[in-house]
Amino acid sequence: MSTFDPGRLVMVDIPGKTLEAETAAFLRAQHIRAVCLFRKNIGTEAEVKALMADLIEVLGPEALIGIDQEGGAVVRVTFLPQPPSAMALGASGDTTRAEAVGAAVARGLKSLGINWNFAPVLDVNNNPANPVIGERSFSNDPAEVSRLAAAWMRGSLREGVACCVKHFPGHGDTHVDSHHALPTVDKSRAELDALELVPFKALAADAPAMMTAHIVYPQIDPERPATLSPELLGGILRRDWGYDGVVITDALMMKAVAERFGYAKSAVMAIDAGADMVLAQGSLDEQLVAINALREAFADGRLTAEQGATANRRLDRFATTYPARAVDDSAARAADHALMAEAWAAGLTALRGAKPPALNAPIRVIVQGDVPTDMVSEAGPTGAQAVALFSAFTDAQVQMVDDIVQLDWTTVPQDGRVNVLVSTRRARYGLAASEWRPDLHLSLWNPYQALDVAGPTVLSWGFAPGALAGLKAWLEGKTQATGRAPQGLQ
């Protein structure tokens, strides 16, 4: 009789910045080996290292500690060197740089004891209206996504941190965020083979793990999102491609799955479909629902012993290959910060002849004062950060607005000042911006806002310190914007 416990197939989250006694006891009692960290768990570097040491001690030698440290706005640990977003790397197009960035991200995580990064993103962002991917994708060209993501992943794996490519079979062509609702991509297998699936198939031989998408592809499986689909996971990924790496679900608490199937049913369906691990966040009681559902399914035969043994074998092999242990990176940290700054600056992209105003020109900076988090994406840069970009200008007025989408361009004075619109928000502007006519538009987050506003535009692809430093240098005439936007954004 196997001593395998289905708790080994569940990744959970934990509250707070320390490992509480109740949580530690739960992890031990339920045989949990995998924990996902979020911004709520990240304190100072010393606090994170203490938390990691405690977690590794409780989870055991085959601990899997995961995090989303993609780059751009999806970075949980901000005291580490902050990597460019994927599309910023795409704008410079340099695989050597992408590989160096992937390695630097891994060195930072490894210094804490984190061994599993849910990156890189393989989604092909061929839909400018996509509310959740955007600059998280390397390109709208599947070959470019494959080329740059492969380089990024090579860097990470070389440093001993596991990657998890996502979101299989592709989240790029959606209008809906699966955190809030269930998206549908109505494409045939041939259409998916020609676009969405290209990077996943290209990297399948090298990717140690894949994360699933909560998306329905009705021409493949009309009933179930990919996360729960035997046709997509068991069929395309496992049978057609022979993929034997780890497959983990995206969070089961996301509304796309939770509201339709519930924790218990979806956990069982995911393992049955071909996943090895389910991501079950929430309270201890909610996590226990998923764990107990798996125990019951293995006990009554809805899930076979072979399915459990196969998933456990893949996870054991994965944990052995990428052990969780803190490795000092102090010798490389300063150089990695510099690398990230250089990589951000290399991606800076000017559209439609955008040029910086003269430093002594009278300018007006129009910016939203604050962009709070919507609990899916991070909070945007503050208005104060945007204003600081113009510290070298001798005559800069600031017009702070509560909500940039409510901006009425007819109220903006046409008094000879150079009107500079700075966007700090994630969402597209929509029709509200069709009448705006700034002399210069700086988009600090979603590059597809360039399609909403006529006129000269500069894309920074994100708002990490390196992105803002590169943009400030451009505004001051010290550097050129040499990046290239993907097709459709020029």
Side-chain angles (χ1 to χ4, degrees):
M1 185 69 184
S2 170
T3 57
F4 157 75
D5 188 286
R8 306 269 291 169
L9 309 186
V10 179
M11 174 175 267
V12 300
D13 66 337
I14 59 172
K17 297 176 174 63
T18 60
L19 184 57
E20 300 164 358
E22 180 189 13
T23 305
F26 176 85
L27 296 174
R28 282 195 174 100
Q30 304 307 325
H31 303 279
I32 302 294
R33 61 142 135 227
V35 166
C36 187
L37 302 176
F38 293 88
R39 187 67 70 83
K40 67 183 179 182
N41 304 121
I42 307 302
T44 64
E45 183 158 1
E47 287 172 327
V48 175
K49 284 182 174 176
L51 174 61
M52 292 303 97
D54 290 345
L55 273 175
I56 292 167
E57 193 270 322
V58 168
L59 299 174
E62 291 170 343
L64 293 170
I65 301 175
I67 199 165
D68 294 291
Q69 193 83 351
E70 294 174 16
V74 185
V75 168
R76 307 300 184 214
V77 188
T78 54
F79 58 72
L80 293 175
Q82 289 190 45
S85 60
M87 207 169 275
L89 290 169
S92 67
D94 186 329
T95 51
T96 302
R97 180 180 288 120
E99 184 170 340
V101 166
V105 173
R107 276 192 293 275
L109 294 179
K110 190 169 62 170
S111 74
L112 305 174
I114 296 168
N115 60 339
W116 196 359
N117 189 6
F118 298 131
V121 168
L122 297 193
D123 303 312
V124 181
N125 201 74
N126 62 315
N127 182 348
N130 193 316
V132 70
I133 301 300
E135 80 292 348
R136 296 170 66 191
S137 166
F138 287 96
S139 178
N140 59 4
D141 176 350
E144 274 293 276
V145 172
S146 304
R147 185 175 72 91
L148 290 161
W152 198 101
M153 188 167 70
R154 274 197 305 274
S156 179
L157 299 182
R158 189 176 70 240
E159 291 290 332
V161 172
C163 288
C164 184
V165 297
K166 61 187 184 184
H167 306 81
F168 176 83
H171 208 314
D173 194 9
T174 58
H175 290 80
V176 174
D177 182 345
S178 53
H179 290 86
H180 301 305
L182 184 61
T184 296
V185 174
D186 192 8
K187 291 185 173 182
S188 67
R189 172 70 188 272
E191 288 174 304
L192 292 173
D193 278 338
L195 188 81
E196 278 86 353
L197 290 173
V198 170
F200 292 97
K201 187 174 185 182
L203 272 62
D206 300 311
M210 287 198 191
M211 179 177 280
T212 63
H214 298 332
I215 300 173
V216 172
Y217 300 80
Q219 296 187 44
I220 311 293
D221 186 338
E223 303 296 324
R224 291 160 292 210
T227 295
L228 311 178
S229 170
E231 284 77 9
L232 282 152
L233 301 188
I236 293 175
L237 187 55
R238 297 295 195 196
R239 184 193 64 232
D240 294 0
W241 297 354
Y243 185 69
D244 193 42
V246 167
V247 173
I248 183 172
T249 71
D250 208 340
L252 296 183
M253 72 184 303
M254 289 162 63
K255 289 184 181 178
V257 165
E259 288 188 350
R260 281 165 180 77
F261 302 96
Y263 253 33
K265 187 176 181 183
S266 61
V268 174
M269 289 174 71
I271 300 298
D272 193 39
D276 302 298
M277 180 163 268
V278 298
L279 176 49
Q281 297 161 243
S283 67
L284 300 185
D285 286 344
E286 287 173 312
Q287 294 170 5
L288 201 53
V289 166
I291 297 164
N292 283 337
L294 291 179
R295 288 186 180 131
E296 290 164 14
F298 280 112
D300 66 21
R302 281 174 293 145
L303 293 174
T304 67
E306 183 185 5
Q307 285 175 306
T310 299
N312 197 45
R313 170 184 59 79
R314 290 188 185 118
L315 290 161
D316 284 348
R317 180 184 63 198
F318 183 68
T320 301
T321 306
Y322 302 98
R325 58 172 188 265
V327 179
D328 180 39
D329 75 330
S330 55
R333 182 74 63 91
D336 287 345
H337 276 296
L339 167 70
M340 300 309 193
E342 182 274 331
W344 273 113
L348 192 69
T349 302
L351 304 178
R352 306 170 200 139
K355 292 182 174 59
L359 290 176
N360 61 356
I363 67 171
R364 177 179 292 105
V365 179
I366 305 165
V367 64
Q368 185 169 324
D370 204 7
V371 182
T373 177
D374 61 5
M375 306 315 293
V376 175
S377 56
E378 306 294 345
T382 63
Q385 284 176 292
V387 171
L389 293 168
F390 301 91
S391 62
F393 286 77
T394 56
D395 185 5
Q397 286 186 3
V398 177
Q399 182 178 331
M400 287 273 189
V401 296
D402 292 331
D403 181 356
I404 200 77
V405 172
Q406 303 301 319
L407 178 64
D408 179 356
W409 196 257
T410 63
T411 68
V412 177
Q414 306 300 311
D415 54 4
R417 284 188 178 273
V418 177
N419 286 312
V420 183
L421 177 71
V422 185
S423 171
T424 54
R425 60 186 268 125
R426 172 73 177 87
R428 293 276 299 272
Y429 304 127
L431 290 175
S434 59
E435 303 302 316
W436 300 351
R437 294 294 181 270
D439 298 300
L440 180 62
H441 173 211
L442 306 180
S443 179
L444 305 188
W445 195 341
N446 186 341
Y448 292 93
Q449 292 167 345
L451 303 179
D452 300 333
V453 177
T457 297
V458 175
L459 305 175
S460 66
W461 315 102
F463 50 89
L468 297 180
L471 180 55
K472 190 172 193 291
W474 179 85
L475 284 166
E476 294 173 6
K478 296 173 181 174
T479 59
Q480 301 295 309
T482 58
R484 287 175 54 86
Q487 255 188 324
L489 253 178
Q490 282 99 333

